Amino acid sequence: MSVFACSKKQETDFNIIDHIPNDSEAIILTSDIHQFIETLNNNNFIKESEFGLKTELSKQLKFTQFLNFKSETSINLSNISSKPLVFSIITRKDSGLVRLDSIQNKSVETFKEEGIELQRIVLENNKFFLYETGSTSIISNSKSKILDIANERNLLNSDAFRSALNASDPNKTSIILRNSAFQRSLAFFENFNFPGFNNFAEWSSLDLDIYASEIKVNGISLSGTNKNFLDIFSDIEPREIEISKVCPEDFLTFYSFSFDSDKLKSNLKNISKDSIKRDFPEILNNIREVATIKLKTGKLFVFNAIEIETSKENLAGMGQEVEKYRNIPIFELEDPSIFKDLIPELMHIEETRFYGILDHFIIFSKNKDLIKETIADFQNSNTIAGKSYYSDLISSLSSESSMLMVSRLPELYESIKNSSNSEKLNFRKNSLAAFQIIKEDNFAHLHGIFSNSSDKSVNGNGAKQIATFKLESPTSSTPFFFKNHLTDQMDISVQDEDNMLYLISNKGTIFWKKKLESQITSPVFQVDLFKNGNKQLAFSTGYHLEILDRNGNTVKPFPVKFNDPLTQPLAVLDYDNNRTYRFVLAQGKKVYMLGPKGKSIKGFDFENAKSEIVKAPKHIRLGNKDYILIAEKSGRLNILSRQGSIRVPVNENFNYSENEWYGNEEKFISSGSDSNLISVTQSGAVSRKNLEFADNHRLVANDDLLVYLNENELSINEKKIALDFGLYTDPQLFEIGKRSLIAITDLQAQKVYVFEKNAELLPGFPVFGTSKVDIANADLDSRLELLVRGDENEILLYKL
């Protein structure tokens, strides 16, 4: 098309490039100006936001609604940072360009100046000047600009600009930028610790794709005749940028670039023509990527190592370990300034006092707590790389970059906006912008995307750590939720290695701590002895049955003390869910059933087993029938009625595994030590199914779910999930409302997994944890919370 021709044609030919002012800072090229403006106005961010450039352009170009553009048009903007903004519009001459018939308030004045005939036109109080020559119409809000163009004064004559113009796509709206004109953007790029924008390139050409919730740009930057920033990347191969794998989801910005120590030193020497040799620390010879991350609470500086063991050797002697957090050593550098201003042409780097290593990334910061937070986010899979809204955004870019900059726009805007600033930028939650540079020869490919999606599904309700609580001593038990009848929320209880039992609010306030004589040996049950909604804690220790109220006081007539040790954990039965509790304990062969007042229940006839009891007595309800199961060391299984008589005679003995008995599909099920799943009907018929269980298999079930872990394979109603090899806790099954969740913790990798009953892993998992878990709705919103031990004296609270 002639609009993109580079050579000057006859005066009668229409050629935009012959009329562009030399001081133009941004040139918008479009084949349909009205469609372009409509598309801009339909973008939800532009439509819902107010900012200076939008306001000024809307004011200055309001008159275009009265003009009938039929061909290629350029809008040339000068003095963008000033008011009023100066523009010129170049389009093909057409007798129907200005239609005055339908406009009431109008005036047209034709006059001559400097030998040039032009018109001053006012349409509905919008004034502009019009000059026509040959096949070209030129419009501007500046008479002097019109006269310069008409007299061929101060016109743009740049080979780099022509190259940028030729690179634009004639089928799209494009914008060509003079990089040096955007010095005021430097303040914004400082949020990325990026110093190179002021000398970035001479001209950049960007093709625009504008949608309701996205704006995409693709194009090139050209260096021109002078050496500049982009030449730093000459002969450095673009690589996949991986910093998102360790970048916390709640970051403000990150900026990363591909790194090659030898080539970078050579390029810097050529650009600066500096004879002084620049020395890099040896570790940089083994680095493929350098990045900086800005968070609300500080900054991180990151190396992505080619071979992490080599990098560890390079770092040896540069500092010493000062702390271990979640099994990750944190080191303090002897020289905090060793990396300060390492490559000032590419990145602003502060002093970095501490560092830790995550996978093949080395994380530096002057703030040790910031490294801890990053470790926690990494272990909890709470990095931006794991979020679908980020992967969707980044999929629009090339897989390899010389440089990549990404920002969370709502959070960044909140952190930098000035209270006196009248701008209103309406970002949707999880709005992101990414800008990618890929160096090639004497130019660079540019790719950018701004996503402001209104899709609520991108908001992500994945697991997120919301609190951490520290105890004075290491925990000795799994923390659990305890109902607070005063707030209708859940408090947290846990015991430490000093036998201290705590009750803590879900905000971290310690209500009380109570020293017990020994460790708790059973689950801690919530009971309501007085049937008034006030909950108590019931549990067994070595010799005692204890019940404490929510203030930590012993409920009389408890504790019940035994002369000999209890050999099985406490079981609490509530046959009809009417809070008429039965507390069942075992000593060797003997069974005790106590009522709410601590007295033996009369009418329960099963007092002694034939051999030692090997599992806690278990209450199972099938249909409308209650059963009490007592397993003996001999392999005998007693299935009793409420009164303690044999209700289901079982004529076989079993080689028990460590798993309990459960009710499932109207049968009693458990597993044997011989690889078999055992089923017993309510009439006593026994069947076995060989599931090739390993010796350490674990099983849990309810009425309609059968879950078992066999080596590294988790089965949920026969749906198989291959887990990493590790050391796993018994799977746990939680029934909350109509929802069933399965939790399991890899103690070796310190990862907690939670699955739906359809075997789907919940969003945001695995997360960091070192124990079994408890799951409940612990606060007043509808989302669930998960409680787990973190470090040895740490309790973690997650929201699912």
Side-chain angles (χ1 to χ4, degrees):
M1 304 174 93
S2 60
V3 63
F4 301 108
C6 295
S7 59
K8 186 162 183 169
K9 294 186 171 66
Q10 297 179 6
E11 182 63 26
T12 55
D13 289 340
F14 172 63
N15 192 2
I16 283 175
I17 199 170
D18 292 338
H19 306 284
I20 296 177
N22 186 52
D23 64 352
S24 296
E25 297 171 346
I27 297 98
I28 301 169
L29 301 171
T30 180
S31 59
D32 190 332
I33 191 171
H34 292 300
Q35 179 64 41
F36 169 61
I37 293 173
E38 182 180 351
T39 303
L40 277 178
N41 290 334
N42 286 335
N43 178 268
N44 56 40
F45 170 75
I46 294 175
K47 180 168 55 178
E48 298 167 8
S49 298
E50 294 297 332
F51 50 93
L53 185 58
K54 173 189 173 182
T55 302
E56 185 67 10
L57 279 174
S58 298
K59 175 183 175 182
Q60 294 295 331
L61 299 179
K62 186 177 181 180
F63 72 92
T64 57
Q65 64 184 303
F66 305 118
L67 273 60
N68 185 23
F69 295 93
K70 292 183 179 179
S71 62
E72 299 86 1
T73 301
S74 76
I75 305 172
N76 315 304
L77 306 178
S78 305
N79 303 321
I80 289 177
S81 60
S82 66
K83 289 184 180 180
L85 177 147
V86 177
F87 69 85
S88 61
I89 299 176
I90 302 168
T91 191
R92 184 182 293 275
K93 180 179 177 180
D94 188 283
S95 59
L97 178 62
V98 183
R99 291 184 175 178
L100 302 175
D101 298 344
S102 60
I103 303 173
Q104 292 184 350
N105 299 316
K106 59 196 174 188
S107 69
V108 178
E109 175 190 357
T110 301
F111 64 97
K112 277 190 176 185
E113 192 165 325
E114 296 185 12
I116 302 298
E117 183 177 288
L118 61 159
Q119 293 178 318
R120 180 187 292 108
I121 302 175
V122 180
L123 304 178
E124 301 291 356
N125 297 319
N126 297 285
K127 184 179 75 171
F128 61 94
F129 296 92
L130 171 64
Y131 166 68
E132 295 182 328
T133 176
S135 60
T136 304
S137 291
I138 302 169
I139 299 167
S140 179
N141 61 343
S142 167
K143 182 178 65 174
S144 63
K145 188 69 65 179
I146 289 273
L147 293 173
D148 279 349
I149 295 172
N151 288 300
E152 299 185 0
R153 293 193 302 254
N154 301 319
L155 297 181
L156 184 59
N157 183 19
S158 164
D159 291 339
F161 171 76
R162 287 189 174 86
S163 297
L165 186 70
N166 287 332
S168 61
D169 187 340
N171 297 311
K172 293 186 177 183
T173 294
S174 303
I175 182 167
I176 302 175
L177 302 174
R178 186 195 299 266
N179 290 72
S180 61
F182 290 86
Q183 294 299 306
R184 64 178 183 161
S185 299
L186 291 176
F188 174 76
F189 281 96
E190 286 175 0
N191 291 289
F192 295 85
N193 297 324
F194 173 59
F197 191 81
N198 59 343
N199 191 30
F200 179 70
E202 188 173 346
W203 289 95
S204 296
S205 173
L206 300 170
D207 299 324
L208 305 179
D209 290 291
I210 302 172
Y211 308 97
S213 59
E214 278 187 347
I215 299 175
K216 295 181 180 180
V217 298
N218 294 282
I220 65 168
S221 276
L222 295 123
S223 300
T225 57
N226 298 320
K227 294 287 185 181
N228 59 27
F229 176 81
L230 290 176
D231 295 305
I232 296 174
F233 290 95
S234 295
D235 300 321
I236 296 178
E237 288 294 322
R239 290 174 171 165
E240 179 184 0
I241 297 298
E242 298 183 314
I243 188 62
S244 60
K245 294 178 180 179
V246 291
C247 178
E249 184 193 12
D250 60 353
F251 77 112
L252 299 180
T253 65
F254 77 67
Y255 157 48
S256 186
F257 59 84
S258 302
F259 191 84
D260 183 300
S261 179
D262 290 337
K263 291 179 180 177
L264 186 64
K265 282 190 282 188
S266 175
N267 291 341
L268 290 171
K269 183 177 180 180
N270 290 336
I271 292 171
S272 64
K273 301 188 184 303
D274 193 345
S275 60
I276 299 176
K277 184 179 180 182
R278 188 182 302 213
D279 290 323
F280 284 164
E282 186 178 357
I283 188 174
L284 293 185
N285 296 327
N286 187 50
I287 300 302
R288 65 181 302 277
E289 174 187 357
V290 178
T292 181
I293 302 171
K294 183 176 182 180
L295 305 170
K296 295 176 184 177
T297 51
K299 297 177 182 178
L300 301 172
F301 169 53
V302 185
F303 286 152
N304 183 355
I306 298 170
E307 212 293 309
I308 192 60
E309 294 304 320
T310 302
S311 293
K312 288 179 180 178
E313 293 174 6
N314 296 147
L315 288 166
M318 293 173 63
Q320 59 182 354
E321 182 179 335
V322 291
E323 186 176 344
K324 189 168 282 188
Y325 179 70
R326 295 189 174 185
N327 284 336
I328 303 293
I330 296 177
F331 298 85
E332 183 172 5
L333 291 167
E334 291 182 0
D335 180 6
S337 64
I338 187 170
F339 300 117
K340 188 176 187 297
D341 293 328
L342 182 71
I343 316 168
E345 298 88 346
L346 284 175
M347 183 177 287
H348 294 308
I349 303 171
E350 299 177 343
E351 288 192 349
T352 53
R353 186 177 174 193
F354 301 97
Y355 74 89
I357 297 174
L358 295 174
D359 201 358
H360 50 89
F361 297 93
I362 307 164
I363 317 293
F364 298 90
S365 178
K366 65 179 180 181
N367 185 339
K368 184 168 59 174
D369 288 337
L370 210 58
I371 293 180
K372 290 181 180 180
E373 292 169 14
T374 305
I375 291 170
D377 282 326
F378 180 76
Q379 292 179 334
N380 291 338
S381 304
N382 191 34
T383 62
I384 192 64
K387 308 305 173 183
S388 60
Y389 60 89
Y390 174 79
S391 56
D392 290 345
L393 176 98
I394 218 72
S395 65
S396 298
L397 306 178
S398 175
S399 59
E400 296 179 332
S401 308
S402 298
M403 296 169 51
L404 178 65
M405 283 175 272
V406 180
S407 174
R408 283 188 75 93
L409 294 170
E411 289 80 1
L412 178 62
Y413 175 59
E414 285 298 316
S415 73
I416 64 176
K417 73 177 182 180
N418 191 318
S419 59
S420 62
N421 193 336
S422 60
E423 289 188 343
K424 175 193 170 188
L425 304 184
N426 191 2
F427 296 108
R428 308 289 173 88
K429 183 178 179 181
N430 294 328
S431 293
L432 295 175
F435 184 61
Q436 179 185 53
I437 300 169
I438 305 170
K439 180 69 166 69
E440 182 178 332
D441 298 329
N442 64 339
F443 66 94
H445 295 281
L446 306 179
H447 305 288
I449 178 170
F450 161 48
S451 175
N452 197 44
S453 177
S454 59
D455 182 358
K456 293 181 180 179
S457 66
V458 305
N459 291 346
N461 289 331
K464 185 172 184 179
Q465 183 179 316
I466 58 173
T468 178
F469 313 121
K470 294 283 188 178
L471 305 184
E472 295 174 3
S473 300
T475 65
S476 61
S477 64
T478 300
F480 60 90
F481 288 117
F482 177 65
K483 184 75 173 183
N484 186 329
H485 65 270
L486 301 174
T487 64
D488 203 31
Q489 300 184 53
M490 291 286 189
D491 296 328
I492 298 162
S493 190
V494 68
Q495 189 180 29
D496 68 21
E497 289 182 353
D498 295 331
N499 299 334
M500 195 72 73
L501 181 65
Y502 295 77
L503 186 67
I504 309 168
S505 79
N506 58 24
K507 300 296 186 291
T509 302
I510 296 178
F511 292 129
W512 52 261
K513 52 186 178 180
K514 184 182 182 73
K515 182 87 167 180
L516 304 179
E517 290 186 2
S518 62
Q519 287 288 305
I520 295 171
T521 58
S522 71
V524 180
F525 298 91
Q526 295 186 66
V527 297
D528 180 3
L529 287 185
F530 306 107
K531 300 185 180 182
N532 61 2
N534 296 354
K535 301 290 186 180
Q536 298 87 38
L537 304 163
F539 54 88
S540 61
T541 61
Y543 290 83
H544 295 168
L545 165 61
E546 298 268 10
I547 299 184
L548 305 179
D549 66 19
R550 70 159 287 100
N551 295 317
N553 301 317
T554 299
V555 178
K556 301 300 182 182
F558 299 93
V560 177
K561 301 180 180 180
F562 296 84
N563 293 326
D564 296 315
L566 299 168
T567 56
Q568 292 300 323
L570 169 69
V572 177
L573 315 184
D574 184 9
Y575 298 122
D576 300 311
N577 289 323
N578 62 0
R579 295 172 287 182
T580 304
Y581 300 104
R582 300 292 183 262
F583 301 102
V584 186
L585 303 115
Q587 278 182 334
K589 300 178 184 179
K590 189 169 182 61
V591 176
Y592 298 93
M593 182 177 284
L594 309 179
K597 296 184 179 180
K599 303 295 184 182
S600 295
I601 297 295
K602 294 181 180 179
F604 183 74
D605 298 329
F606 191 94
E607 294 185 358
N608 288 285
K610 302 293 185 184
S611 62
E612 184 180 348
I613 297 168
V614 293
K615 298 180 188 297
K618 184 77 175 281
H619 170 237
I620 294 176
R621 189 176 184 90
L622 298 179
N624 59 357
K625 295 180 180 180
D626 291 298
Y627 302 91
I628 300 170
L629 277 66
I630 298 178
E632 300 184 26
K633 187 175 183 179
S634 65
R636 177 184 175 87
L637 177 64
N638 302 285
I639 305 181
L640 311 175
S641 68
R642 290 187 185 187
Q643 293 74 35
S645 59
I646 297 295
R647 185 163 193 172
V648 176
V650 181
N651 297 322
E652 294 188 35
N653 288 346
F654 305 104
N655 293 319
Y656 294 118
S657 68
E658 295 184 15
N659 294 297
E660 297 180 27
W661 285 92
Y662 299 94
N664 178 256
E665 296 183 346
E666 300 299 313
K667 294 179 288 187
F668 310 100
I669 66 166
S670 187
S671 63
S673 59
D674 53 2
S675 302
N676 287 318
L677 180 71
I678 304 169
S679 298
V680 180
T681 69
Q682 294 176 66
S683 61
V686 177
S687 62
R688 292 175 172 82
K689 183 178 181 181
N690 188 348
L691 295 179
E692 299 182 351
F693 285 141
D695 291 342
N696 62 347
H697 74 278
R698 293 291 182 267
L699 178 147
V700 66
N702 63 13
D703 292 343
D704 56 6
L705 276 176
L706 172 60
V707 180
Y708 58 83
L709 177 72
N710 191 28
E711 294 185 330
N712 71 312
E713 185 176 77
L714 183 66
S715 174
I716 303 175
N717 273 7
E718 299 186 355
K719 293 181 179 178
K720 311 294 184 183
I721 304 161
L723 302 173
D724 294 336
F725 284 99
L727 178 62
Y728 289 92
T729 61
D730 297 353
Q732 296 173 265
L733 182 51
F734 296 90
E735 296 178 78
I736 304 170
K738 297 181 179 180
R739 194 176 184 188
S740 295
L741 298 175
I742 298 92
I744 192 166
T745 301
D746 182 351
L747 298 177
Q748 185 171 294
Q750 301 180 329
K751 292 181 179 180
V752 177
Y753 299 82
V754 179
F755 297 89
E756 298 278 8
K757 65 180 180 180
N758 63 0
E760 292 290 329
L761 186 67
L762 264 62
F765 284 91
V767 298
F768 177 79
T770 61
S771 70
K772 286 186 174 182
V773 307
D774 197 11
I775 298 176
N777 189 350
D779 53 23
L780 298 177
D781 65 21
S782 60
R783 291 176 63 183
L784 299 178
E785 281 72 34
L786 179 146
L787 197 59
V788 67
R789 182 174 61 203
D791 278 346
E792 59 179 15
N793 65 334
E794 179 185 53
I795 301 169
L796 304 176
L797 184 64
Y798 294 92
K799 189 173 286 290
L800 308 191

